[in-house]
């Protein structure tokens, strides 16, 4: 079974739902509605042999053309030790209600990956056994990997626990931002305001 | 595939017996104690903090607290060009920086669709295997020191010192190597490198035997490793363990064999796998992997002769970077004399390479396990999102389940055998 065939099997199994199938550099990405994630993962694991959850990551799409479909993306990388193939599953999560069903019941390894996404991006996972912050300390108020969180950081304080201050970035280090046109890609001092990139 | 198997030795498993006794007499168990271990505990290999709930001498729960070394590498990556991020990869698994450099460069090359020249591939294989030997030496040395075998630590560090010297010849730096570039390498081999490497691998295999004899025939070491920290194959897969921790449990999976990158299909080597999945199996697998790495390096040196040799005989015929003038830094002499190269150099340094829109995941077989990069590109020289999948993060997440039922004195051997490094766990 190739990864293309695996994607087709999932699409035939869940007929009636919309799937978006992409191929890039030999990797297949299946994008679908977030309500289906647990069912698709269970089918992929139990019927198609994707026993290894390599990674779960998240993407923030603020200020891009993709934002209308939902601000966040959660990306699952699956791997099969039977057919030696990879498959990427992707769901969209809106900002207003960032809630996704947890897949920890299928793969124990998803536990910390989902905690990290909650910690960094603020996406919550339903039925997660222990959804706490993992890299930042308990009580930290922000989600640092969101695009509207500045690179320099923000000042916070929890007395007797921890505090943070914005790093002095004025005038450097020079940072570069992704953009379509090369004139926008020239490095400038980082004083990020939403709307800067227009 | 492999004819390497560990030998079964019967040893009394005190922890198991006590754990079974507790199940028979639950009324005897009432008081539990919280023991804080770390973040400055030497046996935790960095700034890992474990909060152990212990019942007498038995660990009944373990809460791992990480994040002490969190630097926000993923956030930083979103704010700089692909090339600028290379030095940050040195600081992921800081015991094998060369392997991280290669993994990251391969990930970006997958995004760009490059196939790098054969000479660069061979040099990358050599540097990856050097990194593997170096990392395993430290892993074994630190593990045996935690278990009281100080001598081994001195032996392995003596050898690591030689690898650092080689690394200095190869890259100019001993520790933070930053050796790869997108599409190739930062520089070609130093004329003294291959002779130095040959003399290193000539004297190294007997040293592995010495280390193995010091440990495998050491009653204390064997007793503290045998049947301790047993991971079944199913649990290892379900948890997502990779590398030696997975192979120690008996699953024959190595990315170098399953999905060969940088030309690993051209080398003959065996992948050692364990049978029980305890600390001893993982230790044995590491020892054997070092021998296989030596074998790979020997073949790579031989293979290099048909691609320019130790001192590149014809740099034009055997380049070390792909040919893509708009995305690969030109030679300094050309920058100073030619207009086109000057423009390209300026654009690559300021705006970065011109990556296509798309997303890729690339996982490499690093000494600690699968180090993966998920890159989400919206075009241009900067990733929109880069996620680093680190093997140590996954290994530590398994700690709670793994430590339950073992004694406090088993904790150092289990942590040592998982071979974790906090630099890549916290990123």
């Amino acid at each position: 079974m190739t990864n293309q065939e695996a994607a087709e099997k999932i699409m035939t199994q869940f007929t009636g739902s919309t799937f978006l199938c992409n191929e890039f550099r030999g990797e297949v990405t299946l994008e679908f509605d977030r309500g289906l994630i647990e069912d698709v993962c269970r089918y992929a694991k139990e019927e198609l042999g994707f026993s290894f959850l390599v990674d779960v990551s998240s993407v923030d799409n603020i200020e891009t053309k993709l934002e209308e479909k939902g601000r966040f993306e959660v990306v699952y990388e699956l791997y099969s030790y039977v057919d030696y193939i990879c498959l990427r599953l992707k769901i969209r999560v809106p900002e207003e209600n960032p809630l996704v069903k947890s897949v920890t019941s299928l793969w124990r390894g998803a536990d910390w990956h989902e905690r990290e996404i909650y910690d960094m991006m603020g996406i919550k996972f339903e039925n997660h056994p222990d959804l706490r912050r993992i890299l930042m300390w308990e009580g930290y108020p922000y989600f640092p990997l969101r695009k509207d969180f500045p690179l320099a950081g923000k000042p916070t304080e929890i007395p007797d626990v921890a505090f943070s201050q914005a790093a002095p970035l004025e005038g450097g280090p020079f940072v570069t931002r992704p953009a379509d046109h090369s004139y926008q890609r020239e490095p400038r001092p980082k004083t990020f305001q939403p709307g800067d990139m227009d | 595939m492999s004819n390497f198997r560990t030998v079964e030795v019967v040893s009394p498993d005190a922890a198991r017996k006590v754990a079974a006794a507790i199940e028979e007499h639950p009324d005897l168990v009432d008081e539990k104690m919280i023991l804080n271990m770390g973040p400055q505990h030497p046996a935790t290999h960095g700034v890992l903090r474990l909060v152990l709930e212990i019942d007498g001498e038995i660990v009944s729960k373990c809460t791992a607290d990480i994040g002490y070394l969190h630097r926000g590498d993923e956030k930083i990556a979103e704010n700089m060009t692909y090339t600028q991020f290379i030095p940050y990869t040195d600081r992921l698994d800081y015991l094998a920086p060369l392997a991280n450099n290669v993994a990251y460069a391969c990930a970006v090359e997958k995004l760009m669709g490059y196939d790098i020249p054969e000479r660069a591939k061979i040099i990358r294989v050599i540097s990856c295997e050097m990194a593997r030997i170096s990392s395993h030496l430290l892993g074994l040395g630190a593990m045996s020191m935690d278990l009281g075998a100080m001598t081994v630590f001195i032996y392995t560090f003596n050898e690591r010192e030689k690898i650092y010297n080689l690394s200095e010849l190869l890259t100019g730096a001993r520790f933070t190597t930053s050796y790869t570039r997108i599409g190739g390498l930062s520089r070609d081999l130093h004329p003294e490198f291959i002779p130095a490497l040959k003399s290193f691998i000539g004297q190294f295999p007997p040293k592995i035997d010495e280390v193995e004899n010091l440990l495998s025939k050491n009653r204390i070491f064997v007793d503290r490793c045998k049947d301790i920290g047993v991971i079944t194959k199913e649990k290892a897969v379900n948890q997502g363990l990779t590398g030696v921790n997975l192979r120690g449990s008996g699953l024959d999976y190595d990315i170098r064999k399953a999905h060969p990158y940088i030309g690993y299909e051209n080398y003959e080597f065996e992948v050692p796998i364990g049978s029980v999945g305890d600390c001893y199996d993982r230790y044995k697998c590491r020892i054997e992997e070092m021998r296989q790495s030596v074998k790979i390096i020997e073949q790579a040196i031989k293979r290099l002769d048909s691609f320019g040799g130790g001192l590149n005989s014809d740099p034009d015929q055997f380049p070390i970077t792909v040919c893509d003038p708009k995305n690969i830094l030109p030679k300094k002499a050309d920058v100073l004399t030619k207009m086109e190269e000057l423009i390209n150099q300026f654009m690559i340094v300021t705006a970065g390479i011109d990556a296509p829109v798309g997303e890729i995941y690339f996982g490499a077989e690093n000494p600690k396990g699968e180090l993966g990069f998920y890159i989400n590109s919206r075009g241009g020289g900067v990733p929109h999102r880069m996620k680093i999948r680190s093997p140590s993060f996954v290994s530590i997440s398994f700690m709670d389940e793994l430590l339950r039922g073992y004694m406090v004195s088993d904790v150092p051997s289990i942590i040592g055998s998982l071979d974790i490094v906090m630099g890549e766990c916290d990123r």
Side-chain angles (χ1 to χ4, degrees):
Chain A
M1 187 168 65
T2 64
N3 50 6
Q4 196 74 50
E5 282 164 14
E8 273 159 24
K9 275 191 181 167
I10 290 178
M11 283 192 275
T12 35
Q13 177 73 18
F14 294 90
T15 34
S17 323
T18 356
F19 282 90
L20 212 70
C21 190
N22 258 323
E23 195 173 346
F24 181 69
R25 305 271 187 241
E27 295 182 0
V28 175
T29 310
L30 258 190
E31 200 181 319
F32 50 88
D33 186 62
R34 67 173 158 150
L36 277 178
I37 186 66
E38 214 183 354
D39 299 332
V40 172
C41 283
R42 179 165 292 118
Y43 178 72
K45 187 193 168 192
E46 283 163 11
E47 305 295 324
L48 304 179
F50 286 95
S51 53
F52 174 26
L53 177 73
V54 184
D55 193 16
V56 188
S57 45
S58 54
V59 183
D60 184 0
N61 283 320
I62 196 169
E63 316 235 325
T64 62
K65 292 160 207 155
L66 297 166
E67 202 191 341
E68 304 93 63
K69 291 164 75 184
R71 177 173 169 183
F72 302 110
E73 285 170 11
V74 181
V75 184
Y76 300 79
E77 307 277 345
L78 311 186
Y79 188 80
S80 160
Y81 285 126
V82 184
D83 299 302
Y84 297 104
I85 50 171
C86 282
L87 184 67
R88 182 179 298 122
L89 306 178
K90 196 191 235 183
I91 50 173
R92 299 235 173 227
V93 185
E95 192 179 0
E96 309 81 55
N97 179 24
L99 196 65
V100 179
K101 275 188 191 143
S102 168
V103 292
T104 37
S105 54
L106 296 168
W107 295 285
R108 287 286 303 132
D111 185 343
W112 276 31
H113 290 304
E114 291 181 346
R115 270 179 76 185
E116 192 193 336
I117 291 176
Y118 165 67
D119 189 8
M120 292 289 128
M121 210 60 104
I123 299 169
K124 290 195 177 113
F125 289 88
E126 221 175 324
N127 303 331
H128 189 281
D130 182 27
L131 197 64
R132 285 179 297 127
R133 287 202 175 256
I134 185 164
L135 292 171
M136 308 305 283
W137 52 91
E138 204 60 47
Y140 184 77
Y142 304 112
F143 300 114
L145 261 182
R146 289 188 172 183
K147 289 278 178 186
D148 48 10
F149 184 86
L151 178 65
K154 285 182 181 175
T156 63
E157 171 130 35
I158 309 175
D160 300 330
V161 179
F163 69 93
S164 66
Q165 282 172 339
L169 286 184
E170 284 83 19
F174 287 91
V175 292
T176 325
R177 261 177 257 137
D180 295 335
H181 301 292
S182 59
Y183 69 85
Q184 287 178 319
R185 289 200 267 118
E186 280 180 35
R188 331 182 166 275
K190 177 90 181 183
T191 45
F192 181 82
Q193 296 292 326
D196 254 14
M197 280 158 59
D198 303 334
Chain B
M1 177 194 252
S2 162
N3 54 13
F4 172 77
R5 287 287 186 283
T6 50
V7 189
E8 190 62 51
V9 177
V10 183
S11 77
D13 184 1
R16 258 330 144 59
K17 280 179 191 161
V18 178
I22 288 172
E23 269 177 26
E24 278 173 35
H25 307 284
D27 50 311
L28 296 177
V29 185
D30 53 353
E31 207 173 312
K32 286 183 178 167
M33 191 178 105
I34 302 292
L35 179 71
N36 182 57
M37 196 173 171
Q40 279 108 358
H41 194 285
T44 55
H45 298 232
V47 281
L48 170 65
R49 177 172 169 233
L50 297 177
V51 182
L52 303 172
E53 187 189 272
I54 50 176
D55 182 355
E57 281 271 334
I58 311 287
V59 178
S60 56
K61 193 185 170 195
C62 157
T63 314
D65 187 9
I66 62 166
Y68 290 90
L69 210 56
H70 181 222
R71 292 144 297 178
D73 276 349
E74 293 172 6
K75 184 84 178 172
I76 291 168
E78 290 170 12
N79 288 280
M80 56 173 53
T81 63
Y82 290 104
T83 315
Q84 282 174 317
F85 190 69
I86 292 170
Y88 286 86
T89 61
D90 295 337
R91 290 148 178 88
L92 290 174
D93 174 3
Y94 42 73
L95 304 173
L98 282 166
N100 303 340
N101 295 158
V102 171
Y104 174 69
C106 286
V108 183
E109 281 151 16
K110 186 172 181 185
L111 176 70
M112 299 292 289
Y114 287 153
D115 183 28
I116 64 167
E118 197 58 38
R119 185 177 171 82
K121 281 185 185 170
I122 296 168
I123 300 175
R124 279 187 182 187
V125 166
I126 292 175
S127 52
C128 269
E129 296 310 315
M130 270 167 56
R132 193 177 317 277
I133 292 174
S134 161
S135 167
H136 284 351
L137 281 175
L138 185 125
L140 290 175
M143 175 186 177
S144 45
M145 190 172 64
D146 295 343
L147 300 183
M150 278 290 272
T151 323
V152 180
F153 184 75
I154 310 291
Y155 274 62
T156 59
F157 262 61
N158 199 17
E159 295 308 303
R160 284 194 86 220
E161 188 62 24
K162 294 171 191 164
I163 295 182
Y164 275 146
N165 289 338
L166 284 172
S167 167
E168 190 177 5
L169 266 179
L170 182 68
T171 71
R174 291 161 63 81
F175 204 69
T176 49
T177 51
S178 303
Y179 185 46
T180 56
R181 291 292 177 271
I182 313 305
L185 301 166
S186 65
R187 60 187 208 178
D188 210 327
L189 294 179
H190 189 278
E192 285 166 29
F193 177 73
I194 290 294
L197 183 66
K198 274 183 183 161
S199 79
F200 170 74
I201 57 166
Q203 57 87 49
F204 183 58
K207 306 276 177 181
I208 306 178
D209 299 341
E210 268 178 22
V211 169
E212 195 182 7
N213 285 339
L214 277 171
L215 291 174
S216 296
K217 293 180 182 166
N218 180 335
R219 180 67 198 272
I220 299 170
F221 181 83
V222 173
D223 277 358
R224 290 188 70 177
C225 288
K226 274 271 171 191
D227 292 324
I228 302 295
V230 178
I231 308 175
T232 61
K233 199 198 274 189
E234 292 70 32
K235 272 192 178 169
V237 170
N238 198 252
Q239 188 68 31
L241 294 182
T242 46
V244 176
N245 298 339
L246 177 69
R247 289 193 289 273
S249 301
L251 191 83
D252 190 0
Y253 177 72
D254 187 314
I255 305 174
R256 293 176 295 171
K257 288 276 191 196
H259 303 279
Y261 57 102
I262 53 173
Y264 269 115
E265 65 273 19
N266 301 316
Y267 303 93
E268 254 180 56
F269 61 100
E270 281 180 26
V271 179
I273 56 170
S275 49
V276 184
D278 55 3
C279 296
Y280 191 76
D281 273 5
R282 292 192 281 277
Y283 142 74
K284 275 287 191 184
C285 285
R286 291 210 170 86
I287 289 273
E288 187 57 28
E289 272 200 4
M290 288 197 288
R291 295 204 176 98
Q292 298 299 327
S293 291
V294 171
K295 226 167 114 184
I296 296 173
I297 292 178
E298 277 168 357
Q299 295 170 51
I301 294 174
K302 215 170 276 171
R303 218 172 125 70
L304 196 63
D305 287 337
S306 32
F307 293 94
L311 182 62
N312 200 344
S313 56
D314 187 354
D316 293 326
Q317 200 194 335
F318 304 111
I320 52 161
T321 50
V322 292
C323 179
D324 184 1
K326 279 205 182 296
N327 290 318
I328 302 294
L329 277 181
K331 287 192 190 106
K332 192 70 187 167
D334 293 341
V335 176
L336 295 173
T337 51
K338 293 173 186 161
M339 193 64 209
E340 190 76 7
E341 271 79 359
L342 180 65
I343 296 169
N344 286 339
Q345 147 103 10
F346 181 79
M347 284 313 292
I348 294 165
V349 170
T350 57
I353 55 176
D354 199 12
V357 179
E359 53 188 331
I360 58 108
Y361 173 85
F362 179 83
E365 186 69 38
N366 262 33
K368 305 275 190 294
E370 176 172 350
L371 177 71
F373 290 90
Y374 166 74
I375 299 176
N376 188 318
S377 162
R378 298 284 152 83
V382 181
H384 179 71
R385 171 83 165 96
M386 177 149 69
K387 163 85 199 234
I388 303 162
R389 186 253 187 232
S390 59
S392 298
F393 183 80
V394 179
S395 301
I396 295 172
S397 72
F398 190 46
M399 208 78 91
D400 180 28
E401 212 179 318
L402 188 55
L403 289 181
R404 284 183 193 208
Y406 289 104
M407 299 180 68
V408 177
S409 59
D410 296 333
V411 174
S413 43
I414 293 175
I415 297 177
S417 77
L418 284 179
D419 198 14
I420 51 168
V421 58
M422 295 313 287
E424 72 176 358
C425 173
D426 291 349
R427 287 154 285 152

